[in-house]
Amino acid sequence: MKVRDVMTSNIIAANSNTSIAEVAKKMRDLNIGAVPICDENNYPIGIVTDRDIVIRGVVDGLTSSDDIGEIMSKQVIYVSPDMHVHEAARLMGEKQIRRLPVIENGRIIGMVSIGDLAVQNIYENDAGHALSEISTPSRPMM
């Protein structure tokens, strides 16, 4: 099974000048945890998660009117729609991330999450293994 078979294709994106508050409201209203940040050509230049808003925004003293570009992750790890879901799950586990933008011809066409993989019964082991790797702390807790 390919990523395109399980990805969410109805996604929203923001640009780097969008306010933190506006992105947070989109996350709340759509019940999502990540928003890709794209340039004017819909090319992904970053991604922001709800955790980024808290850790890089609130904790670092930014205000809700500051640009989301100030807190986005600039290294975008992504997959192609033709990648096998086993490989996507492996990548999630290896990189310890729960969501991956799906890029085709340089443009974002969807998102795939660990939840998308988990609902496919035949990939339950892959998704479980990836989630286990994602949830394992990379450094000792204090």
Side-chain angles (χ1 to χ4, degrees):
M1 185 175 285
K2 303 288 184 183
V3 167
R4 77 169 66 251
D5 299 322
V6 298
M7 72 181 194
T8 300
S9 56
N10 186 18
I11 60 164
I12 61 112
N15 66 49
S16 62
N17 297 323
T18 305
S19 73
I20 293 171
E22 189 175 336
V23 172
K25 286 176 187 172
K26 285 181 182 182
M27 288 178 168
R28 178 198 63 202
D29 294 348
L30 298 172
N31 193 29
I32 57 175
V35 172
I37 309 302
C38 297
D39 66 13
E40 60 278 351
N41 296 314
N42 208 28
Y43 181 81
I45 58 170
I47 191 164
V48 68
T49 66
D50 45 8
R51 185 175 189 278
D52 293 331
I53 291 172
V54 173
I55 302 301
R56 295 185 190 149
V58 175
V59 174
D60 287 347
L62 296 177
T63 68
S64 62
S65 61
D66 285 320
D67 293 344
I68 201 71
E70 294 185 46
I71 63 171
M72 71 181 184
S73 296
K74 293 179 174 102
Q75 182 182 10
V76 181
I77 312 257
Y78 62 89
V79 294
S80 80
D82 294 320
M83 179 182 277
H84 198 278
V85 293
H86 288 294
E87 184 63 18
R90 185 200 61 75
L91 184 61
M92 286 178 180
E94 177 184 304
K95 300 296 184 180
Q96 295 193 325
I97 52 180
R98 297 173 185 264
R99 303 164 193 95
L100 292 166
V102 182
I103 308 297
E104 187 171 56
N105 299 321
R107 301 183 120 178
I108 189 162
I109 63 163
M111 292 282 283
V112 65
S113 72
I114 195 73
D116 295 329
L117 300 178
V119 298
Q120 304 298 319
N121 291 335
I122 57 174
Y123 299 109
E124 193 171 295
N125 289 339
D126 285 334
H129 180 71
L131 184 57
S132 174
E133 287 185 26
I134 292 166
S135 300
T136 302
S138 57
R139 58 186 158 94
M141 301 287 287
M142 301 223 164

